[in-house]
């Protein structure tokens, strides 16, 4: 029993020491700019994309190095079996011409330089360079998309938070009207049925309040996920929506800017250039391959020196190699046909991307204008609904309005506030989408 109690005490002590640190929610106050900075630093997707860029850059350096002179060193040792030395009979006895040297050492230093490869090495270098540039633009694209996703999640949390505030205010307001209604019922100025209507409305508002609270939690988790921080982090939104209208150029100019600035277009353009270089590389086998070489030998014994001696001697040689693929059953022709088809696909691909960008910019441009008009209308509606609520509430307190009138006024005011909140956030997101679509 004592051992069990001791175990229980130790368990409770561990929970007290570490439990609060483990399960307590961390609170983080963020502006949208700070959220973007954190997201860019923590994103595994962006880091993976960056590693692709580094790999492509390394590949480009590798292809460029293949065009430069190469120097290779090789060394070896070989043990030979014992044989009779080669000798001839002289006037005074046998003369050894080629002694049996059992231990052989060799060292070779080779310098080679390709002179002409049918543009194969040049094409390989160009392909690697264009591919690296394309990969870098794809990284920029991933970065732009991540920034937009962070903004989208941030302002969605802002919207959810603002809607929760509206629901909280509505619940308090209905509670206050319900208290007034109960007081009026006590003096005979309000029926029980009118009070029940307000109680039903309060229940409905509290039900919506629960949904609003859950929406805040879900939006918080979504933003935490995009920022790659613990999902239990409690984020406080600091930034407020900027209602200053954004000044955009005409639609045709925006489309032109998007075609020039979008990373997808730049990446596709580099892919076209890489495919074009691939056609040249495929044709390289039709040309002779010419290279320059030189060798330096330091061997014991050196096979070029006669008679052989068991000592190190150095020799060298140099020359030019030429090779030509005379017949390969049209392999080069088939490879060229494949490369040309790939090039045609790349050209068609950039056309498809431009069409999609044109559609995307047009849709987002119209969405921005629509969102701006909704703000003006919803702002006016809030003022009207608030004034209507004030007048109806005064009449209700004086017994000049029915509870149904108050309910209608409260519902209209609540809807107006929600629409206003939605409109300002939708406007911010619409601007972010348009900025993304034109390559900002």
């Amino acid at each position: 029993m004592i051992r069990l109690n001791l175990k229980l005490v130790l368990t409770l002590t561990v929970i007290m020491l570490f439990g609060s640190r483990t399960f307590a929610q961390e609170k983080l106050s963020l502006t949208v700019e700070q959220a973007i900075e954190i997201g860019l630093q923590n994103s595994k997707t962006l880091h993976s994309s960056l590693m692709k860029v580094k790999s492509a850059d390394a590949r480009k350096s590798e292809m460029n190095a293949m065009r430069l002179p190469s120097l290779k060193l090789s060394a070896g040792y070989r043990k030979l079996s014992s044989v009779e030395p080669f000798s001839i009979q002289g006037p005074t006895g046998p003369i050894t011409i080629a002694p049996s040297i059992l231990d052989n050492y060799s060292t070779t230093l080779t310098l080679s330089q390709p002179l002409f490869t049918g543009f194969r090495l040049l094409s390989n270098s160009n392909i690697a360079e264009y591919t690296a540039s394309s990969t870098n633009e794809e990284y920029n694209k991933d970065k732009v998309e991540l920034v937009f996703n962070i903004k989208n999640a941030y302002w969605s949390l802002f919207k959810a938070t603002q809607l929760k505030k509206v629901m909280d205010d509505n619940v308090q307001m209905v509670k206050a009207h319900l208290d007034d209604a109960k007081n009026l019922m006590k003096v005979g100025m309000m029926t029980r049925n009118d009070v029940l209507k307000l109680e039903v409305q309060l229940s409905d508002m509290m039900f919506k309040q629960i949904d609003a609270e859950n929406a805040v939690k879900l939006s918080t988790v979504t933003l935490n996920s995009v920022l790659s921080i613990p999902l239990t982090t409690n984020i406080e939104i600091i930034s407020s929506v900027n209602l200053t209208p954004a000044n955009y150029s005409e639609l045709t100019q925006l489309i032109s800017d998007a075609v020039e600035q979008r990373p997808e277009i730049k990446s596709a353009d580099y892919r076209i250039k890489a495919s074009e270089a691939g056609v040249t590389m495929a044709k390289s086998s039709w040309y002779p391959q010419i290279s320059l070489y030189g060798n330096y030998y330091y061997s014991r014994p050196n096979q070029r020196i006669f008679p052989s001696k068991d000592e190190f001697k150095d020799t060298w040689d140099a020359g030019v190699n030429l090779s030509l693929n005379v017949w390969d059953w049209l392999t080069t022709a088939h490879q060229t046909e494949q490369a040309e088809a790939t090039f045609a696909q790349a050209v068609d691909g950039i056309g498809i991307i431009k069409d999609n960008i044109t559609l995307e910019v047009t849709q987002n441009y119209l969405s921005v204008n629509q969102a701006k008009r909704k703000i003006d209308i919803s702002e006016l509606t809030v003022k009207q609904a608030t004034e209507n609520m004030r007048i109806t509430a005064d009449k209700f307190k004086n017994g000049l309005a029915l509870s149904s009138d108050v309910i209608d006024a409260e519902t209209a005011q609540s809807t107006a506030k929600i629409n206003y909140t939605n409109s300002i956030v939708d406007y911010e997101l619409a601007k972010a989408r348009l900025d993304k679509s034109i390559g900002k």
Side-chain angles (χ1 to χ4, degrees):
M1 185 67 178
I2 295 177
R3 184 177 300 173
L4 180 61
N5 290 337
L6 181 59
K7 184 177 181 180
L8 179 61
V9 170
L10 290 175
T11 303
L12 292 175
T13 302
V14 171
I15 293 176
M16 291 176 62
L17 289 175
F18 301 101
S20 59
R21 181 179 301 177
T22 304
F23 299 103
Q25 283 189 338
E26 180 183 357
K27 186 173 182 180
L28 193 60
S29 300
L30 291 177
T31 63
V32 64
E33 292 80 13
Q34 291 171 338
I36 292 173
E37 183 178 357
I38 292 175
L40 292 177
Q41 292 176 352
N42 295 343
S43 174
K44 297 180 179 64
T45 301
L46 196 61
H47 181 265
S48 176
S49 182
L50 180 60
M51 292 303 101
K52 291 180 182 179
V53 173
K54 290 187 176 182
S55 176
D57 288 339
R59 175 68 176 174
K60 179 179 68 174
S61 299
E62 176 191 0
M63 292 298 101
N64 288 333
M66 294 181 66
R67 301 169 61 188
L68 302 176
S70 63
L71 186 63
K72 296 181 181 180
L73 174 67
S74 62
Y77 164 78
R78 184 172 57 173
K79 181 72 173 180
L80 303 180
S81 62
S82 179
V83 295
E84 289 293 330
F86 177 73
S87 60
I88 59 175
Q89 188 65 34
T92 59
I95 300 174
T96 300
I97 302 300
S100 178
I101 302 174
L102 305 183
D103 296 312
N104 282 243
Y105 303 88
S106 62
T107 303
T108 306
L109 191 64
T110 301
L111 176 67
S112 60
Q113 170 65 56
L115 299 180
F116 181 72
T117 61
F119 309 105
R120 178 175 56 84
L121 291 180
L122 177 60
S123 299
N124 260 330
S125 180
N126 290 337
I127 290 173
E129 181 177 357
Y130 293 139
T131 301
S133 299
S134 176
T135 305
N136 186 67
E137 292 302 331
E138 290 173 357
Y139 167 76
N140 293 333
K141 172 180 172 291
D142 293 340
K143 186 175 181 180
V144 169
E145 289 182 349
L146 177 60
V147 170
F148 172 74
N149 290 335
I150 294 172
K151 286 183 178 181
N152 187 35
Y154 186 91
W155 293 119
S156 295
L157 177 57
F158 175 85
K159 179 194 289 188
T161 304
Q162 294 301 314
L163 293 180
K164 182 181 178 299
K165 290 180 181 180
V166 171
M167 297 311 302
D168 291 342
D169 293 341
N170 288 339
V171 168
Q172 295 301 321
M173 183 174 57
V174 174
K175 285 182 178 180
H177 291 323
L178 181 58
D179 292 338
D180 292 338
K182 289 179 178 180
N183 293 330
L184 291 174
M185 185 180 67
K186 291 178 181 179
V187 297
M189 297 178 63
M190 184 70 64
T191 65
R192 176 59 182 167
N193 186 53
D194 291 332
V195 174
L196 286 174
K197 289 181 180 179
L198 286 173
E199 289 177 344
V200 170
Q201 185 187 17
L202 177 60
S203 299
D204 181 64
M205 288 292 181
M206 294 178 68
F207 185 84
K208 293 179 180 179
Q209 185 184 38
I210 294 175
D211 288 340
E213 291 175 354
N214 190 55
V216 171
K217 293 178 181 178
L218 292 176
S219 298
T220 301
V221 170
T222 301
L223 179 56
N224 289 338
S225 178
V226 175
L227 299 182
S228 299
I229 60 178
L231 299 182
T232 56
T233 305
N234 184 17
I235 295 182
E236 179 186 4
I237 298 296
I238 297 179
S239 296
S240 58
V241 178
N242 182 15
L243 293 180
T244 303
N247 295 321
Y248 292 102
S249 305
E250 295 296 327
L251 179 58
T252 53
Q253 183 62 43
L254 291 178
I255 294 175
S256 177
D257 293 341
V259 171
E260 292 180 1
Q261 299 174 6
R262 283 284 288 266
E264 297 94 323
I265 294 292
K266 295 179 181 179
S267 176
D269 186 55
Y270 284 124
R271 292 291 180 186
I272 289 177
K273 293 179 180 178
S275 299
E276 189 175 12
V279 175
T280 303
M281 186 185 69
K283 296 178 179 179
S284 63
S285 295
W286 282 331
Y287 298 92
Q289 311 292 309
I290 304 174
S291 61
L292 178 68
Y293 72 91
N295 294 302
Y296 173 78
Y297 306 97
Y298 190 65
S299 306
R300 174 185 175 184
N302 194 315
Q303 302 298 327
R304 294 185 58 197
I305 297 178
F306 187 83
S308 298
K309 295 183 180 180
D310 189 14
E311 59 184 37
F312 282 100
K313 294 291 183 178
D314 62 327
T315 55
W316 61 270
D317 61 54
V320 178
N321 279 331
L322 184 146
S323 64
L324 180 63
N325 191 0
V326 178
W327 179 251
D328 59 1
W329 297 98
L330 300 180
T331 298
T332 301
H334 298 322
Q335 292 174 345
T336 302
E337 186 178 356
Q338 294 176 46
E340 289 174 345
T342 301
F343 173 70
Q345 290 177 6
V347 173
D348 291 337
I350 196 172
I352 295 173
I353 294 174
K354 288 181 179 180
D355 292 340
N356 292 336
I357 287 177
T358 300
L359 177 60
E360 182 182 350
V361 172
T362 302
Q363 291 174 334
N364 292 333
Y365 179 79
L366 296 176
S367 296
V368 167
N369 293 334
Q370 181 188 34
K372 179 60 178 67
R373 292 176 59 192
K374 284 185 175 180
I375 290 178
D376 298 334
I377 296 174
S378 60
E379 186 176 11
L380 177 61
T381 305
V382 168
K383 293 179 180 179
Q384 294 170 341
T386 301
E387 180 63 17
N388 178 59
M389 183 66 232
R390 185 189 66 80
I391 295 174
T392 305
D394 290 341
K395 289 182 178 180
F396 178 74
K397 290 179 181 180
N398 296 320
L400 300 177
L402 300 176
S403 60
S404 59
D405 297 330
V406 176
I407 293 174
D408 292 340
E410 289 173 345
T411 301
Q413 185 184 38
S414 175
T415 302
K417 289 181 178 180
I418 292 174
N419 289 339
Y420 178 70
T421 300
N422 287 336
S423 64
I424 58 176
V425 176
D426 289 343
Y427 179 62
E428 189 68 28
L429 292 178
K431 290 192 297 182
R433 278 190 291 269
L434 182 57
D435 289 341
K436 171 181 171 293
S437 63
I438 60 179
K440 276 194 176 181

